[in-house]
Amino acid sequence: EVQLVESGGGLVQPGRSLKLSCAASGFTYSNYVMAWVRQAPTKGLEWVASISTGGGNTYYRDSVKGRFTISRDNAKNTLYLQIDSLRSEDTATYYCALRFDYWGQGVMVTVSS
Amino acid sequence: DIQLTQSPSSMSASLGDRVSLTCQSSQGIGNYLSWYQHKPGKPPKPMIYYATNLADGVPSRFSGSRSGSDYSLTISSLESEDTAIYYCLQYDEYPLTFGSGTKLEIK
């Protein structure tokens, strides 16, 4: 059974950093493109970033380029999202997704002073 | 960037109704479009992939179709559990984009 479990969220002050993790199991993790998607309160779904199987290719939406870094550890079956210089508009539930076929339950990030 | 325009933004229908939701792409994306059902407090649930293919475990009352750059998600006979927000996603090129969603309610 595919499982994706996010962690690392919480309440963070503007300008600080946070690193989200997504622990994957139940499939051959290194074979699949992975992604992060977020949903701000009362807003729709928003693709954030994707990473290739080996981690050599990464893709970001314009609004997070330079502040977000997606990475993966195929030995640990874990996906990461490093978020720097947090802004209030980054407040959202962040989901990790396996090819958009399987999704984690989501982790909440709240940016507030 | 590719824009996906979903219509209507919200709608209500009666149990047993046939319902169609539309997603129009600003550029050609072939069949690289999927549909998701999203309920509060839960992750999005894949419904349709590659425009017309039913995802695993999805009831057969759901179907997807394409006409040019217009994509549709149809529910042949609406059930109460279908109340949700439905999103389309294009995965033809980066940046990937979601539509703004259609909120479907039961009358």
Side-chain angles (χ1 to χ4, degrees):
Chain A
E1 179 193 5
V2 171
Q3 285 199 325
L4 299 169
V5 180
E6 301 97 338
S7 61
L11 174 61
V12 187
Q13 292 180 327
R16 304 296 291 265
S17 297
L18 199 64
K19 189 170 187 176
L20 305 182
S21 299
C22 172
S25 61
F27 63 102
T28 305
Y29 175 74
S30 58
N31 286 357
Y32 293 94
V33 171
M34 298 292 294
W36 289 97
V37 173
R38 68 184 179 184
Q39 183 180 36
T42 74
K43 302 292 186 183
L45 298 175
E46 186 174 80
W47 170 78
V48 173
S50 292
I51 187 166
S52 61
T53 54
N57 294 305
T58 56
Y59 309 87
Y60 302 91
R61 65 180 302 103
D62 283 348
S63 61
V64 307
K65 282 180 183 175
R67 297 192 302 119
F68 287 28
T69 303
I70 187 172
S71 62
R72 65 191 297 163
D73 186 333
N74 285 346
K76 294 183 177 180
N77 287 359
T78 303
L79 178 71
Y80 303 101
L81 186 67
Q82 174 72 39
I83 309 175
D84 298 324
S85 303
L86 275 156
R87 305 169 179 170
S88 58
E89 55 263 37
D90 297 321
T91 293
T93 297
Y94 286 75
Y95 298 99
C96 71
L98 158 64
R99 276 190 337 185
F100 305 102
D101 295 330
Y102 297 92
W103 298 64
Q105 290 298 311
V107 62
M108 186 68 197
V109 173
T110 302
V111 183
S112 174
S113 55
Chain B
D1 299 359
I2 296 172
Q3 308 297 321
L4 296 179
T5 302
Q6 286 191 244
S7 60
S9 56
S10 66
M11 67 176 296
S12 63
S14 300
L15 295 175
D17 280 356
R18 181 181 180 87
V19 170
S20 285
L21 314 180
T22 298
C23 177
Q24 183 178 61
S25 176
S26 63
Q27 298 174 217
I29 56 172
N31 281 353
Y32 293 106
L33 183 121
S34 51
W35 289 92
Y36 299 86
Q37 179 190 69
H38 198 195
K39 296 183 178 183
K42 293 191 173 182
K45 176 183 177 181
M47 305 300 284
I48 300 288
Y49 65 96
Y50 204 60
T52 62
N53 295 274
L54 204 62
D56 289 346
V58 174
S60 59
R61 64 180 181 275
F62 289 88
S63 64
S65 62
R66 172 195 172 190
S67 176
S69 62
D70 293 335
Y71 301 80
S72 295
L73 174 70
T74 299
I75 308 172
S76 60
S77 181
L78 192 64
E79 297 193 9
S80 57
E81 65 191 42
D82 300 335
T83 296
I85 299 177
Y86 291 84
Y87 294 94
C88 54
L89 165 72
Q90 70 80 18
Y91 51 99
D92 181 54
E93 66 176 46
Y94 291 105
L96 307 185
T97 45
F98 285 92
S100 56
T102 292
K103 185 175 185 179
L104 176 60
E105 295 177 318
I106 307 297
K107 279 183 185 174

